[in-house]
């Protein structure tokens, strides 16, 4: 006996568009389907949106997710910026705001701005907090998926073990999901551009280096939520430069935006991008060298994971082909031909918005999952979230 939540999945994935199709597909009685569908409509998960063609008699009503009725709030917290957005339940952005903000200011200051901006966007949209059905935040560090706490980050002093989810839940009594930024970016790029690919590897190169891995539309996190930490693979332990993790010779100490900025005598990875875009030969040469350095590790990752797509994102994706050229050179040279035969290597299509899109998708998938829907209907019929 399929639950209402499972019926919703059939509607979401396009397997069934009408009550008649649900009856035929599931073998359930008309009264059971009517009960399930009516409960989903009353709770605001789905609505009737037109009619389907009919072979005779009254045309059946088409069922679809009621994406406009409930809202999602998401925040992308980087090392030097913060971006928040208000989306509908189809992960479509309704409002967005960005500011320059260093995450090292600490959780109280950063999350206070996030909460204030969330409320400001709701006010401008003329919507109420009780219309929010889920909140998502991504951070540049590893996150415990159960507690919503940051468990490991070298770019976030003062954040370790901080209850990020609890700090937001005090304002919104809805599911609060916290994720690593590279994971969110990878899912955002996959969702927007590469949904036909079974495996995607995204490498984010900004202040630091992080990687997100997508298999079959799902984030791969590893057993300790630490998958993708290639920035701290050691390539040359005799190198004088000390990484943010305290070790020497890490990829991040050699090829990250922070490392490049130090080598070129500028303040940040954004300044490196500006030098490259202005045609500075020293900056271009150093960026290409950094791409080759990262390519050494990525060649191993590609041989191990055999993804269909490798996406470069973050600030270095804005250097045009320069950073990517270095990656391509080494990846193709050091990988077996059959592992790269159909590999697509590209810059991200969403730019700085990749994590916002990814977080909205993460929250959407959670809120609309069969388990979440059935739990919500059982706890409080007639409501969402």
């Amino acid at each position: 006996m399929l639950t209402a939540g499972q019926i919703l999945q059939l509607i979401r994935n396009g397997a069934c568009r009408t009550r008649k199709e649900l009856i035929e597909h599931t073998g359930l009685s008309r009264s059971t389907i009517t009960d399930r569908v009516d409960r989903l409509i009353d709770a605001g998960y789905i609505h009737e949106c037109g009619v389907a063609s009919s072979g005779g008699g009254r045309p059946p009503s088409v069922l679809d997710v009621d994406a406009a009725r409930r809202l999602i709030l998401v925040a992308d917290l980087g090392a030097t910026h913060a971006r928040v957005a208000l989306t509908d339940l189809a992960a479509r952005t309704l409002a967005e705001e960005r500011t320059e903000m260093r995450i090292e200011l600490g959780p109280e200051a950063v999350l206070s701005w996030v909460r204030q901006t969330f409320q400001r966007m709701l006010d401008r949209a003329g919507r109420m907090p009780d219309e929010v059905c889920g909140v998502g935040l991504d951070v540049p560090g590893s996150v415990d998926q159960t507690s919503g706490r940051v468990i490991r980050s070298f770019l976030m002093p003062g954040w370790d073990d901080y209850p990020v989810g609890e700090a937001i839940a005090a304002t919104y009594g809805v599911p609060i999901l916290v994720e690593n930024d590279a994971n969110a970016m990878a899912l955002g790029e996959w969702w927007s551009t590469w949904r036909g690919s079974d495996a995607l590897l995204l490498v984010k190169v900004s202040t630091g280096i992080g990687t997100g891995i997508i298999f079959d539309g799902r984030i791969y996190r590893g057993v300790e939520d630490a998958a993708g930490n290639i920035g701290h693979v050691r390539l040359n332990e005799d190198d004088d430069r000390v990484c943010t993790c305290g070790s020497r010779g890490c990829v991040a100490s050699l090829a990250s935006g922070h490392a490049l900025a130090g080598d070129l005598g500028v303040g940040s990875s954004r300044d490196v991008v500006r030098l490259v875009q202005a045609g500075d030969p020293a900056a271009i040469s150093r960026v290409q060298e950094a791409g080759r350095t990262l390519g050494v590790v990525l060649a191993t990752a590609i041989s191990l994971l055999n993804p269909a797509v490798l996406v470069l994102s973050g600030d270095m994706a804005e250097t045009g082909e320069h950073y990517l050229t270095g990656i391509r050179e080494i990846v193709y040279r050091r990988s077996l031909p059959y592992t790269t035969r159909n590999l697509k290597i590209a810059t991200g299509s969403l730019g700085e918005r990749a994590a916002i899109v990814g977080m909205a998708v993460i929250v959407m998938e959670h809120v609309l999952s069969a388990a979440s829907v059935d739990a919500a209907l059982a706890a409080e019929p007639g409501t969402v979230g």
Side-chain angles (χ1 to χ4, degrees), residues 108-142:
E108 287 82 6
V110 173
L111 295 179
S112 176
W113 180 85
V114 169
R115 288 190 295 266
Q116 292 171 15
T117 309
F118 278 167
Q119 186 59 54
R120 185 163 57 245
M121 287 194 302
L122 287 170
D123 292 342
R124 289 175 179 172
R127 306 295 289 266
M128 300 299 293
D130 62 6
E131 296 179 79
V132 176
C133 62
V135 177
L137 299 92
D138 71 77
V139 296
S142 297

PDB file of all heavy atoms in Angstrom, residues 108-142:
ATOM      1  N   GLU A 108      28.381  34.074  15.382  1.00  0.00           N
ATOM      2  CA  GLU A 108      27.349  34.978  15.872  1.00  0.00           C
ATOM      3  C   GLU A 108      27.124  36.130  14.900  1.00  0.00           C
ATOM      4  O   GLU A 108      25.984  36.439  14.532  1.00  0.00           O
ATOM      5  CB  GLU A 108      27.718  35.542  17.260  1.00  0.00           C
ATOM      6  CG  GLU A 108      27.581  34.536  18.390  1.00  0.00           C
ATOM      7  CD  GLU A 108      28.795  33.620  18.505  1.00  0.00           C
ATOM      8  OE1 GLU A 108      29.786  33.852  17.769  1.00  0.00           O
ATOM      9  OE2 GLU A 108      28.764  32.671  19.319  1.00  0.00           O
ATOM     10  N   ALA A 109      28.219  36.781  14.459  1.00  0.00           N
ATOM     11  CA  ALA A 109      28.100  37.925  13.556  1.00  0.00           C
ATOM     12  C   ALA A 109      27.553  37.503  12.191  1.00  0.00           C
ATOM     13  O   ALA A 109      26.652  38.148  11.638  1.00  0.00           O
ATOM     14  CB  ALA A 109      29.458  38.602  13.389  1.00  0.00           C
ATOM     15  N   VAL A 110      28.088  36.420  11.645  1.00  0.00           N
ATOM     16  CA  VAL A 110      27.681  35.998  10.303  1.00  0.00           C
ATOM     17  C   VAL A 110      26.231  35.514  10.297  1.00  0.00           C
ATOM     18  O   VAL A 110      25.430  35.907   9.441  1.00  0.00           O
ATOM     19  CB  VAL A 110      28.620  34.895   9.777  1.00  0.00           C
ATOM     20  CG1 VAL A 110      28.089  34.340   8.454  1.00  0.00           C
ATOM     21  CG2 VAL A 110      30.029  35.450   9.593  1.00  0.00           C
ATOM     22  N   LEU A 111      25.867  34.686  11.254  1.00  0.00           N
ATOM     23  CA  LEU A 111      24.506  34.148  11.272  1.00  0.00           C
ATOM     24  C   LEU A 111      23.481  35.202  11.662  1.00  0.00           C
ATOM     25  O   LEU A 111      22.318  35.119  11.254  1.00  0.00           O
ATOM     26  CB  LEU A 111      24.428  32.941  12.202  1.00  0.00           C
ATOM     27  CG  LEU A 111      25.253  31.728  11.759  1.00  0.00           C
ATOM     28  CD1 LEU A 111      25.125  30.600  12.777  1.00  0.00           C
ATOM     29  CD2 LEU A 111      24.838  31.246  10.374  1.00  0.00           C
ATOM     30  N   SER A 112      23.881  36.200  12.412  1.00  0.00           N
ATOM     31  CA  SER A 112      22.981  37.318  12.703  1.00  0.00           C
ATOM     32  C   SER A 112      22.623  38.048  11.412  1.00  0.00           C
ATOM     33  O   SER A 112      21.456  38.388  11.181  1.00  0.00           O
ATOM     34  CB  SER A 112      23.639  38.280  13.694  1.00  0.00           C
ATOM     35  OG  SER A 112      22.821  39.422  13.907  1.00  0.00           O
ATOM     36  N   TRP A 113      23.631  38.270  10.562  1.00  0.00           N
ATOM     37  CA  TRP A 113      23.358  38.904   9.259  1.00  0.00           C
ATOM     38  C   TRP A 113      22.453  38.018   8.415  1.00  0.00           C
ATOM     39  O   TRP A 113      21.535  38.515   7.747  1.00  0.00           O
ATOM     40  CB  TRP A 113      24.667  39.177   8.517  1.00  0.00           C
ATOM     41  CG  TRP A 113      24.442  39.817   7.180  1.00  0.00           C
ATOM     42  CD1 TRP A 113      24.286  41.148   6.918  1.00  0.00           C
ATOM     43  CD2 TRP A 113      24.322  39.136   5.921  1.00  0.00           C
ATOM     44  NE1 TRP A 113      24.070  41.343   5.573  1.00  0.00           N
ATOM     45  CE2 TRP A 113      24.083  40.132   4.938  1.00  0.00           C
ATOM     46  CE3 TRP A 113      24.375  37.807   5.533  1.00  0.00           C
ATOM     47  CZ2 TRP A 113      23.917  39.821   3.594  1.00  0.00           C
ATOM     48  CZ3 TRP A 113      24.203  37.495   4.191  1.00  0.00           C
ATOM     49  CH2 TRP A 113      23.974  38.489   3.233  1.00  0.00           C
ATOM     50  N   VAL A 114      22.691  36.714   8.428  1.00  0.00           N
ATOM     51  CA  VAL A 114      21.860  35.795   7.647  1.00  0.00           C
ATOM     52  C   VAL A 114      20.406  35.874   8.098  1.00  0.00           C
ATOM     53  O   VAL A 114      19.488  35.999   7.278  1.00  0.00           O
ATOM     54  CB  VAL A 114      22.385  34.349   7.783  1.00  0.00           C
ATOM     55  CG1 VAL A 114      21.373  33.353   7.196  1.00  0.00           C
ATOM     56  CG2 VAL A 114      23.726  34.200   7.072  1.00  0.00           C
ATOM     57  N   ARG A 115      20.169  35.819   9.397  1.00  0.00           N
ATOM     58  CA  ARG A 115      18.788  35.871   9.904  1.00  0.00           C
ATOM     59  C   ARG A 115      18.112  37.196   9.536  1.00  0.00           C
ATOM     60  O   ARG A 115      16.940  37.211   9.126  1.00  0.00           O
ATOM     61  CB  ARG A 115      18.785  35.670  11.419  1.00  0.00           C
ATOM     62  CG  ARG A 115      19.093  34.247  11.864  1.00  0.00           C
ATOM     63  CD  ARG A 115      18.819  34.069  13.356  1.00  0.00           C
ATOM     64  NE  ARG A 115      19.715  34.889  14.164  1.00  0.00           N
ATOM     65  CZ  ARG A 115      20.859  34.457  14.671  1.00  0.00           C
ATOM     66  NH1 ARG A 115      21.258  33.201  14.453  1.00  0.00           N
ATOM     67  NH2 ARG A 115      21.620  35.249  15.413  1.00  0.00           N
ATOM     68  N   GLN A 116      18.840  38.287   9.678  1.00  0.00           N
ATOM     69  CA  GLN A 116      18.270  39.597   9.342  1.00  0.00           C
ATOM     70  C   GLN A 116      17.943  39.689   7.852  1.00  0.00           C
ATOM     71  O   GLN A 116      16.903  40.241   7.464  1.00  0.00           O
ATOM     72  CB  GLN A 116      19.241  40.704   9.742  1.00  0.00           C
ATOM     73  CG  GLN A 116      19.435  40.865  11.239  1.00  0.00           C
ATOM     74  CD  GLN A 116      20.557  41.824  11.577  1.00  0.00           C
ATOM     75  OE1 GLN A 116      21.024  42.588  10.734  1.00  0.00           O
ATOM     76  NE2 GLN A 116      21.014  41.788  12.825  1.00  0.00           N
ATOM     77  N   THR A 117      18.818  39.148   7.031  1.00  0.00           N
ATOM     78  CA  THR A 117      18.597  39.217   5.582  1.00  0.00           C
ATOM     79  C   THR A 117      17.457  38.296   5.161  1.00  0.00           C
ATOM     80  O   THR A 117      16.673  38.637   4.266  1.00  0.00           O
ATOM     81  CB  THR A 117      19.890  38.869   4.829  1.00  0.00           C
ATOM     82  OG1 THR A 117      20.968  39.651   5.347  1.00  0.00           O
ATOM     83  CG2 THR A 117      19.740  39.158   3.337  1.00  0.00           C
ATOM     84  N   PHE A 118      17.362  37.133   5.784  1.00  0.00           N
ATOM     85  CA  PHE A 118      16.213  36.266   5.525  1.00  0.00           C
ATOM     86  C   PHE A 118      14.907  37.035   5.758  1.00  0.00           C
ATOM     87  O   PHE A 118      13.998  37.027   4.918  1.00  0.00           O
ATOM     88  CB  PHE A 118      16.250  35.046   6.459  1.00  0.00           C
ATOM     89  CG  PHE A 118      17.146  33.931   6.014  1.00  0.00           C
ATOM     90  CD1 PHE A 118      17.472  32.896   6.893  1.00  0.00           C
ATOM     91  CD2 PHE A 118      17.671  33.883   4.734  1.00  0.00           C
ATOM     92  CE1 PHE A 118      18.291  31.843   6.497  1.00  0.00           C
ATOM     93  CE2 PHE A 118      18.497  32.842   4.332  1.00  0.00           C
ATOM     94  CZ  PHE A 118      18.805  31.824   5.212  1.00  0.00           C
ATOM     95  N   GLN A 119      14.806  37.693   6.902  1.00  0.00           N
ATOM     96  CA  GLN A 119      13.578  38.416   7.231  1.00  0.00           C
ATOM     97  C   GLN A 119      13.357  39.583   6.263  1.00  0.00           C
ATOM     98  O   GLN A 119      12.220  39.849   5.856  1.00  0.00           O
ATOM     99  CB  GLN A 119      13.643  38.938   8.669  1.00  0.00           C
ATOM    100  CG  GLN A 119      12.341  39.577   9.144  1.00  0.00           C
ATOM    101  CD  GLN A 119      11.169  38.610   9.084  1.00  0.00           C
ATOM    102  OE1 GLN A 119      11.240  37.519   9.640  1.00  0.00           O
ATOM    103  NE2 GLN A 119      10.096  38.985   8.379  1.00  0.00           N
ATOM    104  N   ARG A 120      14.436  40.264   5.885  1.00  0.00           N
ATOM    105  CA  ARG A 120      14.312  41.384   4.949  1.00  0.00           C
ATOM    106  C   ARG A 120      13.774  40.914   3.598  1.00  0.00           C
ATOM    107  O   ARG A 120      12.918  41.574   2.995  1.00  0.00           O
ATOM    108  CB  ARG A 120      15.673  42.055   4.782  1.00  0.00           C
ATOM    109  CG  ARG A 120      15.647  43.297   3.923  1.00  0.00           C
ATOM    110  CD  ARG A 120      16.896  44.141   4.128  1.00  0.00           C
ATOM    111  NE  ARG A 120      18.129  43.421   3.853  1.00  0.00           N
ATOM    112  CZ  ARG A 120      19.052  43.139   4.776  1.00  0.00           C
ATOM    113  NH1 ARG A 120      18.851  43.479   6.040  1.00  0.00           N
ATOM    114  NH2 ARG A 120      20.164  42.513   4.445  1.00  0.00           N
ATOM    115  N   MET A 121      14.234  39.765   3.116  1.00  0.00           N
ATOM    116  CA  MET A 121      13.744  39.252   1.838  1.00  0.00           C
ATOM    117  C   MET A 121      12.281  38.842   1.927  1.00  0.00           C
ATOM    118  O   MET A 121      11.502  39.078   0.997  1.00  0.00           O
ATOM    119  CB  MET A 121      14.605  38.075   1.371  1.00  0.00           C
ATOM    120  CG  MET A 121      15.977  38.489   0.884  1.00  0.00           C
ATOM    121  SD  MET A 121      16.833  37.168  -0.023  1.00  0.00           S
ATOM    122  CE  MET A 121      16.856  35.901   1.217  1.00  0.00           C
ATOM    123  N   LEU A 122      11.900  38.225   3.036  1.00  0.00           N
ATOM    124  CA  LEU A 122      10.491  37.859   3.220  1.00  0.00           C
ATOM    125  C   LEU A 122       9.617  39.111   3.236  1.00  0.00           C
ATOM    126  O   LEU A 122       8.545  39.138   2.614  1.00  0.00           O
ATOM    127  CB  LEU A 122      10.312  37.075   4.521  1.00  0.00           C
ATOM    128  CG  LEU A 122      10.838  35.642   4.533  1.00  0.00           C
ATOM    129  CD1 LEU A 122      10.813  35.077   5.958  1.00  0.00           C
ATOM    130  CD2 LEU A 122      10.023  34.748   3.601  1.00  0.00           C
ATOM    131  N   ASP A 123      10.065  40.147   3.938  1.00  0.00           N
ATOM    132  CA  ASP A 123       9.298  41.392   4.009  1.00  0.00           C
ATOM    133  C   ASP A 123       9.127  42.012   2.621  1.00  0.00           C
ATOM    134  O   ASP A 123       8.027  42.461   2.256  1.00  0.00           O
ATOM    135  CB  ASP A 123       9.981  42.395   4.942  1.00  0.00           C
ATOM    136  CG  ASP A 123       9.940  41.965   6.401  1.00  0.00           C
ATOM    137  OD1 ASP A 123       9.110  41.094   6.736  1.00  0.00           O
ATOM    138  OD2 ASP A 123      10.746  42.487   7.197  1.00  0.00           O
ATOM    139  N   ARG A 124      10.211  42.046   1.861  1.00  0.00           N
ATOM    140  CA  ARG A 124      10.145  42.638   0.523  1.00  0.00           C
ATOM    141  C   ARG A 124       9.237  41.838  -0.405  1.00  0.00           C
ATOM    142  O   ARG A 124       8.587  42.402  -1.291  1.00  0.00           O
ATOM    143  CB  ARG A 124      11.549  42.719  -0.073  1.00  0.00           C
ATOM    144  CG  ARG A 124      12.438  43.774   0.578  1.00  0.00           C
ATOM    145  CD  ARG A 124      13.850  43.721   0.019  1.00  0.00           C
ATOM    146  NE  ARG A 124      14.711  44.735   0.623  1.00  0.00           N
ATOM    147  CZ  ARG A 124      16.016  44.807   0.434  1.00  0.00           C
ATOM    148  NH1 ARG A 124      16.636  43.906  -0.332  1.00  0.00           N
ATOM    149  NH2 ARG A 124      16.725  45.758   1.008  1.00  0.00           N
ATOM    150  N   ALA A 125       9.189  40.536  -0.208  1.00  0.00           N
ATOM    151  CA  ALA A 125       8.344  39.682  -1.048  1.00  0.00           C
ATOM    152  C   ALA A 125       6.902  39.651  -0.564  1.00  0.00           C
ATOM    153  O   ALA A 125       6.032  39.080  -1.230  1.00  0.00           O
ATOM    154  CB  ALA A 125       8.904  38.260  -1.091  1.00  0.00           C
ATOM    155  N   GLY A 126       6.649  40.257   0.603  1.00  0.00           N
ATOM    156  CA  GLY A 126       5.303  40.231   1.159  1.00  0.00           C
ATOM    157  C   GLY A 126       4.881  38.848   1.624  1.00  0.00           C
ATOM    158  O   GLY A 126       3.690  38.522   1.612  1.00  0.00           O
ATOM    159  N   ARG A 127       5.862  38.046   2.078  1.00  0.00           N
ATOM    160  CA  ARG A 127       5.573  36.690   2.537  1.00  0.00           C
ATOM    161  C   ARG A 127       5.847  36.587   4.039  1.00  0.00           C
ATOM    162  O   ARG A 127       6.575  37.384   4.622  1.00  0.00           O
ATOM    163  CB  ARG A 127       6.422  35.666   1.771  1.00  0.00           C
ATOM    164  CG  ARG A 127       6.323  35.750   0.255  1.00  0.00           C
ATOM    165  CD  ARG A 127       4.935  35.425  -0.269  1.00  0.00           C
ATOM    166  NE  ARG A 127       4.616  34.018  -0.141  1.00  0.00           N
ATOM    167  CZ  ARG A 127       4.811  33.124  -1.099  1.00  0.00           C
ATOM    168  NH1 ARG A 127       5.337  33.481  -2.261  1.00  0.00           N
ATOM    169  NH2 ARG A 127       4.456  31.851  -0.909  1.00  0.00           N
ATOM    170  N   MET A 128       5.266  35.551   4.656  1.00  0.00           N
ATOM    171  CA  MET A 128       5.362  35.375   6.101  1.00  0.00           C
ATOM    172  C   MET A 128       6.327  34.247   6.458  1.00  0.00           C
ATOM    173  O   MET A 128       6.492  33.287   5.687  1.00  0.00           O
ATOM    174  CB  MET A 128       3.983  35.066   6.676  1.00  0.00           C
ATOM    175  CG  MET A 128       2.947  36.165   6.415  1.00  0.00           C
ATOM    176  SD  MET A 128       3.431  37.739   7.150  1.00  0.00           S
ATOM    177  CE  MET A 128       3.322  37.311   8.900  1.00  0.00           C
ATOM    178  N   PRO A 129       6.950  34.326   7.651  1.00  0.00           N
ATOM    179  CA  PRO A 129       7.870  33.256   8.069  1.00  0.00           C
ATOM    180  C   PRO A 129       7.216  31.881   8.106  1.00  0.00           C
ATOM    181  O   PRO A 129       7.903  30.870   7.865  1.00  0.00           O
ATOM    182  CB  PRO A 129       8.307  33.696   9.473  1.00  0.00           C
ATOM    183  CG  PRO A 129       8.189  35.193   9.445  1.00  0.00           C
ATOM    184  CD  PRO A 129       6.975  35.465   8.590  1.00  0.00           C
ATOM    185  N   ASP A 130       5.916  31.803   8.391  1.00  0.00           N
ATOM    186  CA  ASP A 130       5.284  30.481   8.474  1.00  0.00           C
ATOM    187  C   ASP A 130       5.055  29.856   7.096  1.00  0.00           C
ATOM    188  O   ASP A 130       4.593  28.725   6.996  1.00  0.00           O
ATOM    189  CB  ASP A 130       3.977  30.542   9.266  1.00  0.00           C
ATOM    190  CG  ASP A 130       2.931  31.447   8.636  1.00  0.00           C
ATOM    191  OD1 ASP A 130       3.154  31.958   7.516  1.00  0.00           O
ATOM    192  OD2 ASP A 130       1.874  31.650   9.264  1.00  0.00           O
ATOM    193  N   GLU A 131       5.398  30.584   6.023  1.00  0.00           N
ATOM    194  CA  GLU A 131       5.350  30.008   4.680  1.00  0.00           C
ATOM    195  C   GLU A 131       6.648  29.285   4.334  1.00  0.00           C
ATOM    196  O   GLU A 131       6.718  28.585   3.323  1.00  0.00           O
ATOM    197  CB  GLU A 131       5.074  31.097   3.642  1.00  0.00           C
ATOM    198  CG  GLU A 131       3.718  31.770   3.769  1.00  0.00           C
ATOM    199  CD  GLU A 131       3.520  32.856   2.730  1.00  0.00           C
ATOM    200  OE1 GLU A 131       3.209  32.506   1.569  1.00  0.00           O
ATOM    201  OE2 GLU A 131       3.700  34.042   3.067  1.00  0.00           O
ATOM    202  N   VAL A 132       7.680  29.457   5.143  1.00  0.00           N
ATOM    203  CA  VAL A 132       8.968  28.796   4.918  1.00  0.00           C
ATOM    204  C   VAL A 132       8.877  27.343   5.370  1.00  0.00           C
ATOM    205  O   VAL A 132       8.475  27.062   6.496  1.00  0.00           O
ATOM    206  CB  VAL A 132      10.091  29.523   5.686  1.00  0.00           C
ATOM    207  CG1 VAL A 132      11.421  28.773   5.528  1.00  0.00           C
ATOM    208  CG2 VAL A 132      10.228  30.965   5.208  1.00  0.00           C
ATOM    209  N   CYS A 133       9.237  26.423   4.497  1.00  0.00           N
ATOM    210  CA  CYS A 133       9.156  25.003   4.835  1.00  0.00           C
ATOM    211  C   CYS A 133      10.516  24.356   5.035  1.00  0.00           C
ATOM    212  O   CYS A 133      10.594  23.190   5.431  1.00  0.00           O
ATOM    213  CB  CYS A 133       8.385  24.239   3.756  1.00  0.00           C
ATOM    214  SG  CYS A 133       9.153  24.273   2.123  1.00  0.00           S
ATOM    215  N   GLY A 134      11.593  25.097   4.773  1.00  0.00           N
ATOM    216  CA  GLY A 134      12.930  24.548   4.974  1.00  0.00           C
ATOM    217  C   GLY A 134      13.986  25.612   4.792  1.00  0.00           C
ATOM    218  O   GLY A 134      13.776  26.590   4.059  1.00  0.00           O
ATOM    219  N   VAL A 135      15.119  25.437   5.469  1.00  0.00           N
ATOM    220  CA  VAL A 135      16.235  26.376   5.386  1.00  0.00           C
ATOM    221  C   VAL A 135      17.508  25.582   5.144  1.00  0.00           C
ATOM    222  O   VAL A 135      17.709  24.508   5.721  1.00  0.00           O
ATOM    223  CB  VAL A 135      16.377  27.192   6.691  1.00  0.00           C
ATOM    224  CG1 VAL A 135      17.595  28.121   6.613  1.00  0.00           C
ATOM    225  CG2 VAL A 135      15.113  28.005   6.969  1.00  0.00           C
ATOM    226  N   GLY A 136      18.370  26.109   4.271  1.00  0.00           N
ATOM    227  CA  GLY A 136      19.650  25.458   3.997  1.00  0.00           C
ATOM    228  C   GLY A 136      20.798  26.438   4.057  1.00  0.00           C
ATOM    229  O   GLY A 136      20.666  27.579   3.620  1.00  0.00           O
ATOM    230  N   LEU A 137      21.924  26.009   4.613  1.00  0.00           N
ATOM    231  CA  LEU A 137      23.138  26.818   4.670  1.00  0.00           C
ATOM    232  C   LEU A 137      24.333  25.963   4.268  1.00  0.00           C
ATOM    233  O   LEU A 137      24.426  24.802   4.666  1.00  0.00           O
ATOM    234  CB  LEU A 137      23.400  27.372   6.070  1.00  0.00           C
ATOM    235  CG  LEU A 137      22.371  28.290   6.709  1.00  0.00           C
ATOM    236  CD1 LEU A 137      21.387  27.470   7.550  1.00  0.00           C
ATOM    237  CD2 LEU A 137      23.049  29.335   7.591  1.00  0.00           C
ATOM    238  N   ASP A 138      25.238  26.539   3.467  1.00  0.00           N
ATOM    239  CA  ASP A 138      26.486  25.836   3.182  1.00  0.00           C
ATOM    240  C   ASP A 138      27.656  26.646   3.711  1.00  0.00           C
ATOM    241  O   ASP A 138      27.605  27.876   3.771  1.00  0.00           O
ATOM    242  CB  ASP A 138      26.636  25.552   1.689  1.00  0.00           C
ATOM    243  CG  ASP A 138      26.904  26.801   0.878  1.00  0.00           C
ATOM    244  OD1 ASP A 138      28.046  27.299   0.891  1.00  0.00           O
ATOM    245  OD2 ASP A 138      25.975  27.287   0.209  1.00  0.00           O
ATOM    246  N   VAL A 139      28.710  25.940   4.114  1.00  0.00           N
ATOM    247  CA  VAL A 139      29.895  26.558   4.712  1.00  0.00           C
ATOM    248  C   VAL A 139      31.151  25.908   4.125  1.00  0.00           C
ATOM    249  O   VAL A 139      31.101  24.771   3.648  1.00  0.00           O
ATOM    250  CB  VAL A 139      29.896  26.388   6.248  1.00  0.00           C
ATOM    251  CG1 VAL A 139      28.722  27.106   6.880  1.00  0.00           C
ATOM    252  CG2 VAL A 139      29.877  24.908   6.634  1.00  0.00           C
ATOM    253  N   PRO A 140      32.292  26.622   4.164  1.00  0.00           N
ATOM    254  CA  PRO A 140      33.538  26.059   3.615  1.00  0.00           C
ATOM    255  C   PRO A 140      34.260  25.148   4.601  1.00  0.00           C
ATOM    256  O   PRO A 140      35.389  25.407   5.023  1.00  0.00           O
ATOM    257  CB  PRO A 140      34.361  27.313   3.295  1.00  0.00           C
ATOM    258  CG  PRO A 140      33.916  28.312   4.315  1.00  0.00           C
ATOM    259  CD  PRO A 140      32.441  28.044   4.525  1.00  0.00           C
ATOM    260  N   GLY A 141      33.583  24.089   4.994  1.00  0.00           N
ATOM    261  CA  GLY A 141      34.164  23.125   5.918  1.00  0.00           C
ATOM    262  C   GLY A 141      33.335  21.862   5.961  1.00  0.00           C
ATOM    263  O   GLY A 141      32.254  21.800   5.368  1.00  0.00           O
ATOM    264  N   SER A 142      33.817  20.860   6.650  1.00  0.00           N
ATOM    265  CA  SER A 142      33.081  19.606   6.793  1.00  0.00           C
ATOM    266  C   SER A 142      31.979  19.773   7.826  1.00  0.00           C
ATOM    267  O   SER A 142      32.147  20.478   8.829  1.00  0.00           O
ATOM    268  CB  SER A 142      34.020  18.468   7.201  1.00  0.00           C
ATOM    269  OG  SER A 142      34.989  18.233   6.199  1.00  0.00           O
TER     270      SER A 142
END
